[in-house]
Amino acid sequence: MSRPSQAKPTTAEPPGVSVIQNQAAAQAAAPAPQQVPQLVPAHPDAAGGKALPPGKMKKPPADKDSEEYRQRRERNNLAVKKSRMRSKQKAMDTQQRVNELKEENERLEAKIKLLSKELSVLKDLFLEHAHNLADNVAPAAGGAEGASPAPTGPAPGGQ
Amino acid sequence: MSRPSQAKPTTAEPPGVSVIQNQAAAQAAAPAPQQVPQLVPAHPDAAGGKALPPGKMKKPPADKDSEEYRQRRERNNLAVKKSRMRSKQKAMDTQQRVNELKEENERLEAKIKLLSKELSVLKDLFLEHAHNLADNVAPAAGGAEGASPAPTGPAPGGQ
DNA sequence: TTAAATTGCGCAATGC
DNA sequence: GGCATTGCGCAATTTA
């Protein structure tokens, strides 16, 4: 799970409240409040003059103590959480979709099987009838003409 | 791939207190050294005397300078990467599966449509033939011979 | 230009 | 004891 010391309500915390402050508060009773070691990376622009539209370089490295910095961080943390939740939800939805589609496919296959069977039966009937006609109408073959029902057809219709 | 030299300040924290720890992330492609304060919960054993099985408490606070610590971290980072890659791969596979199933679905539906049509045609032929029989056979009670229309069937080929 | 969303990454807790 | 998962925060990037 996550950090035990961090009380993380499912609902988003009110804007303007820092998580770090929450944690600090959580152990406020404990002595020796620690201070954040702050390392500020060198300003990127130190190297060469950027060829950008006049007037503005990149960004100042964002002071960590800045109120605005904390605010941005917190907003981003929120956004990240949201994004991740969505991502997970989407994954689950996709999985579910797979299941649904699988089911649907089985349904369709069953239907195909049924239709095929029906078709096969009808075709057999046709053939049988055709044979009967042939036997009755064109009795060219010498022999009994009235007795040749041809009981079972050859079962046409593959698939 | 190997970690760039990460200068982590020797922030030795007193046991039993939360502290903000620095974290650095750097990539070869995107060199952007970041020093990120991270919250570390207090050592759990700090509170009261724990009644645990003999001889073993939980863990020593894991010296961040320790060689073994760095090794563990690095291994874990590797494992995390691997796990995440798998996770993403799985998600993509699932998505692909959805696509395949959708395709299959369409195929099946088309087939059903075709079979239905064939069936419909055959049934119509049957009906038509039945009518013809009724028309030809009913009025003349004599024999069942005479004109037998029975045009050649459309010979619907399955598949 | 700014704010939100996404993405890669490391840390730590926890599961196995 | 070690790898695998998971939640989380930071920061760089991308998108709107």
Side-chain angles (χ1 to χ4, degrees):
Chain A
M1 286 268 272
S2 68
R3 220 178 305 286
S5 59
Q6 167 155 12
K8 182 191 53 123
T10 309
T11 58
E13 36 211 295
V17 180
S18 163
V19 172
I20 287 190
Q21 285 173 358
N22 286 348
Q23 281 188 299
Q27 58 104 32
Q34 291 301 312
Q35 192 50 34
V36 183
Q38 52 180 13
L39 294 181
V40 175
H43 196 139
D45 288 347
K50 288 308 169 194
L52 284 178
K56 287 229 164 182
M57 303 268 233
K58 265 302 156 66
K59 283 192 173 182
D63 325 348
K64 295 223 170 99
D65 290 341
S66 159
E67 170 66 27
E68 187 253 350
Y69 167 75
R70 270 324 316 165
Q71 248 173 7
R72 269 191 320 143
R73 284 303 329 132
E74 179 133 0
R75 283 174 113 79
N76 179 248
N77 289 342
L78 232 58
V80 165
K81 264 194 219 170
K82 197 163 131 192
S83 181
R84 283 170 179 160
M85 256 180 40
R86 270 192 198 156
S87 184
K88 266 174 202 170
Q89 186 61 47
K90 209 186 71 177
M92 293 178 70
D93 288 357
T94 306
Q95 182 58 55
Q96 170 118 12
R97 190 113 161 69
V98 165
N99 295 337
E100 289 172 1
L101 284 174
K102 262 164 139 184
E103 242 177 79
E104 174 90 351
N105 271 18
E106 278 177 37
R107 216 174 50 77
L108 294 181
E109 299 231 41
K111 186 160 185 179
I112 285 181
K113 202 167 181 177
L114 182 68
L115 287 179
S116 293
K117 188 133 195 165
E118 269 186 59
L119 209 50
S120 162
V121 168
L122 278 192
K123 282 184 181 174
D124 281 357
L125 283 182
F126 257 124
L127 281 189
E128 186 179 339
H129 189 240
H131 288 161
N132 287 345
L133 278 186
D135 289 346
N136 294 338
V137 169
E145 74 235 33
S148 248
T152 50
Q159 239 277 339
Chain B
M1 305 343 177
S2 59
R3 273 182 329 94
S5 54
Q6 171 174 28
K8 192 167 304 196
T10 321
T11 27
E13 74 256 17
V17 274
S18 294
V19 81
I20 295 186
Q21 146 210 326
N22 282 344
Q23 161 202 330
Q27 295 164 256
Q34 14 174 315
Q35 300 285 349
V36 175
Q38 192 99 22
L39 288 170
V40 170
H43 189 168
D45 290 347
K50 284 313 171 193
L52 284 179
K56 289 217 166 181
M57 297 276 232
K58 260 308 151 68
K59 290 180 182 180
D63 322 346
K64 306 234 189 317
D65 290 342
S66 161
E67 171 66 27
E68 184 254 350
Y69 168 76
R70 269 327 312 167
Q71 248 173 6
R72 265 194 309 124
R73 283 305 328 134
E74 184 138 357
R75 279 171 181 276
N76 178 247
N77 289 340
L78 228 59
V80 166
K81 253 195 212 172
K82 198 163 132 192
S83 182
R84 282 170 180 160
M85 254 180 46
R86 270 193 200 151
S87 184
K88 265 173 203 172
Q89 187 60 49
K90 211 186 69 177
M92 291 178 72
D93 288 356
T94 306
Q95 181 58 54
Q96 171 125 6
R97 201 114 110 67
V98 165
N99 295 337
E100 290 172 0
L101 284 174
K102 262 165 140 182
E103 241 176 76
E104 174 90 352
N105 226 320
E106 280 175 34
R107 219 173 47 79
L108 294 180
E109 301 234 37
K111 187 161 185 177
I112 285 181
K113 203 166 181 178
L114 182 67
L115 288 179
S116 294
K117 187 137 195 167
E118 271 185 52
L119 211 49
S120 163
V121 167
L122 280 191
K123 283 184 182 173
D124 282 355
L125 282 183
F126 257 126
L127 284 186
E128 187 181 335
H129 189 239
H131 288 163
N132 286 346
L133 277 185
D135 288 348
N136 295 339
V137 171
E145 65 291 9
S148 59
T152 52
Q159 231 249 81

